[in-house]
Structures are given as C-alpha cells and as structure tokens.
C-alpha cells in the first residue's frame, strides 16, 4: 500500500522498473513507485501531487535511464514538486544496490540532491567559472537554464538562478535575460 506511506512521508521514490520496486519494498523503502521507464506522464504526476510534495528519483545508470530521468525531472519540476536525485555509486539501479548492500540504497536516499544541483554537476564545468570562449560550455549553460526555466516555483527558480550565477560567474541579471 504505497499510497498511504507516500501520503504519510509526503514523499515518493520513483524508480524505473518493477524489480527496482520489489527490491526497495523488501528492504523497507515503501514509498516507492515504478515508472516503467519512459511511461511516466503528467497525469501520473498529477495523481502523485495530490498526496505528496517531494519526489526522489533513481533510474538506471545507462543512457536510456539517464534520458528517462531527465524527462521525469523536467515533468516533475513543472508540476511543482520538490525533486531530488538519488545517486547510487557503482551499481546499475536500485535493485542492484539492494542486492549488493541495502545500505547503498539507504545512504543514496538520505543524501539525495536537488535536481538543479544534479544538472549543475552533470552539465557545468568542474573547474568552476565558465570559459566564454568555449562553445560547449556556453551550450551546457543554455541547457541548464532551460532546465531551471521548467521549475514551477518562482522562489525555487530564483534560488537556483542565483546559485547558477555564483557557480559560473555569469551575472544573475544576464542569466534571467
């Protein structure tokens, strides 16, 4: 009965597959929902939004999982969820994490990162400030700005634009333009 637990915790843990769901449930992560990969829709999120404010996402670490996760993040952000990403190191998915050591999953959930931070780490240069002469870095900045634009909450969007300015050295006013 995931719905009641999701309502109680005000949080849903979205995973990609049925095996991920089962393995999470078996180790006590009971606010779990399987999206069946790319099948997640705005309608699903509207139903979840009625019972919780926060979504934790952990999809497969392959290319398809990464694409599905970005799509889910963007949909969830536009539905005004507080979206966090559960990163699981050295495993393919939540099911494998549970098989290897359930604490990998528990620690990943405990240390979930805000989606915007996930995008910063994925797309922005690791060195810090943006190099304006590198077109790939400017393209990455545009990608992150597009992701931030999808955030429904003006307060959250403003916070992350400010953080983006701090991390890249690009004035907040210019980012907002």
């Amino acid at each position: 009965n995931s719905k009641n637990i999701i309502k109680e915790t005000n949080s849903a843990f979205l995973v990609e597959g049925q095996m991920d769901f089962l393995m999470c449930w078996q180790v006590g992560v009971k606010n779990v929902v399987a999206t069946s990969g790319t099948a997640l829709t705005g309608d699903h999120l509207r139903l979840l939004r009625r019972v919780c404010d926060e979504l934790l996402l952990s999809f497969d670490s392959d290319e398809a999982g990464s694409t599905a996760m970005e799509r889910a993040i963007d949909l969830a952000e536009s539905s005004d969820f507080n979206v966090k990403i559960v990163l699981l190191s050295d495993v393919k998915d939540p099911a494998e994490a549970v098989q290897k050591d359930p604490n990998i999953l528990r620690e990943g959930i405990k240390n979930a990162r805000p989606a915007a931070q996930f995008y910063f780490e994925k797309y922005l240069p690791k060195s810090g400030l943006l190099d304006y002469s590198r077109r790939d870095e400017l393209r990455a900045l545009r990608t992150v700005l597009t992701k931030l634009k999808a955030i429904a909450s003006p307060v959250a969007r403003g916070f992350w634009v400010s953080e983006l300015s701090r991390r890249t050295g690009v004035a907040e006013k210019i980012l907002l333009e």
Side-chain angles (χ1 to χ4, degrees):
N1 194 336
S2 291
K3 181 182 175 186
N4 291 336
I5 295 164
I6 290 169
K7 195 173 203 170
E8 287 171 25
T9 61
N10 196 27
S11 176
F13 180 40
L14 269 63
V15 295
E16 197 170 349
Q18 299 303 317
M19 188 56 73
D20 297 315
F21 172 88
L22 290 170
M23 297 297 283
C24 290
W25 185 271
Q26 287 176 353
V27 295
V29 178
K30 303 211 180 223
N31 62 331
V32 64
V33 176
T35 66
S36 300
T38 59
L40 183 68
T41 67
D43 289 335
H44 295 130
L45 291 174
R46 277 187 281 289
L47 290 172
L48 279 170
R49 191 68 183 95
R50 291 180 189 165
V51 292
C52 72
D53 295 320
E54 180 177 77
L55 286 184
L56 304 171
L57 304 175
S58 185
F59 288 11
D60 291 2
S61 61
D62 60 13
E63 189 60 37
S66 179
T67 301
M69 180 141 69
E70 284 201 32
R71 185 177 168 279
I73 291 168
D74 295 345
L75 273 172
E77 290 281 16
S78 68
S79 298
D80 201 22
F81 279 99
N82 176 24
V83 183
K84 293 185 176 178
I85 308 307
V86 176
L87 297 175
L88 304 170
S89 55
D90 302 323
V91 292
K92 177 179 88 100
D93 57 23
E96 188 177 299
V98 170
Q99 286 175 328
K100 193 171 183 181
D101 179 356
N103 287 323
I104 294 172
L105 180 66
R106 290 185 189 105
E107 283 297 308
I109 290 170
K110 186 173 117 186
N111 298 315
R113 298 184 171 131
Q117 185 180 343
F118 166 78
Y119 282 138
F120 290 175
E121 291 167 5
K122 180 173 180 176
Y123 289 107
L124 297 178
K126 307 296 180 244
S127 60
L129 300 182
L130 211 62
D131 179 348
Y132 296 101
S133 66
R134 297 201 47 189
R135 294 189 67 69
D136 59 325
E137 289 186 14
L138 292 175
R139 197 171 12 261
L141 177 61
R142 276 192 221 100
T143 298
V144 171
L145 281 169
T146 300
K147 303 294 186 183
L148 296 182
K149 188 177 178 184
I151 298 173
S153 164
V155 173
R157 188 174 47 249
F159 172 83
W160 288 112
V161 168
S162 178
E163 182 66 15
L164 182 61
S165 173
R166 189 188 66 74
R167 287 189 63 155
T168 61
V170 178
E172 206 172 315
K173 179 183 175 194
I174 291 172
L175 292 173
L176 290 169
E177 287 176 9

